[in-house]
Amino acid sequence: QVQLVQSGSELKKPGASVKVSCKASGYTFTSYAMNWVRQAPGQGLEWMGWINTNTGNPTYAQGFTGRFVFSLDTSVSTAYLQISSLKAEDTAVYYCDRSTSSGAFDIWGQGTMVTVSS
Amino acid sequence: QSVLTQPPSVSGAPGQRVTISCTGSSSNIGAGYDVHWYQQLPGTAPKLLIYGNSNRPSGVPDRFSGSKSGTSASLAITGLQAEDEADYYCQSYDSSLSGSGVVFGGGTKLTVL
């Protein structure tokens, strides 16, 4: 079946980096854009941006430039989110999700909890 | 402060009908961009509930319906059930002088009494 499976929870110290993976299966990876969404503890959903799975070109939302990098490995149908110079306020669940032509996010990964604490 | 405004909470008794509003502006919903709705059960990832303002993905009960008018959209849930207790989010696209991109509402917590 169509699914996105993300890597497991991470505990990092401030200043470190983390790389979250999102493996797609059940569909042609390059036929749909991949988005990333952040949800801080007890908070709502925040769109981080998206990556064109055909060209690898990323687009970052305001507030997610500089320390955030989207990348792909199309040979294994996997998208990645790397966050550098981690801060306590980066503590959140990070979701990858597939967007359709209508702009809706029809398939979501299970989420990856990233905790930043000294 | 979210670009799309939702009530923080709504409640209803089993069997009742509830609606959740999503208020935007001329740079998003009012500009003609579609509205989508998601249901997030406790401890789980969001799930697409309504796409393109009023369309239900396969498997979503017809108790859920969506509508859009002007700069607002609404999600209606009829025949409320205990398992509907969740957070609900609206989503659209916003294009303004300061930039453009996907925007979410702040979320609405539905409590089934």
Side-chain angles (χ1 to χ4, degrees), chain A:
Chain A
Q1 75 277 28
V2 176
Q3 61 179 352
L4 299 173
V5 178
Q6 299 184 223
S7 48
S9 299
E10 301 269 9
L11 173 60
K12 296 291 185 181
K13 294 189 184 303
S17 295
V18 68
K19 193 170 187 177
V20 176
S21 67
C22 169
K23 183 171 178 58
S25 61
Y27 72 96
T28 301
F29 182 67
T30 52
S31 293
Y32 297 83
M34 191 69 75
N35 292 258
W36 290 92
V37 172
R38 181 172 77 177
Q39 186 170 36
Q43 302 300 308
L45 305 174
E46 189 175 16
W47 182 68
M48 302 174 65
W50 69 286
I51 185 164
N52 184 315
T53 52
N54 274 303
T55 65
N57 183 48
T59 298
Y60 300 98
Q62 289 183 8
F64 294 99
T65 55
R67 298 187 299 115
F68 301 84
V69 177
F70 307 148
S71 61
L72 304 170
D73 184 343
T74 56
S75 68
V76 290
S77 300
T78 300
Y80 300 94
L81 163 66
Q82 183 161 358
I83 311 171
S84 58
S85 302
L86 283 162
K87 307 174 182 180
E89 50 264 42
D90 294 324
T91 294
V93 175
Y94 292 84
Y95 294 101
C96 61
D97 38 82
R98 183 182 89 165
S99 53
T100 67
S101 56
S102 71
F105 299 162
D106 67 336
I107 304 295
W108 292 65
Q110 83 276 21
T112 296
M113 179 72 209
V114 175
T115 303
V116 183
S117 174
S118 54

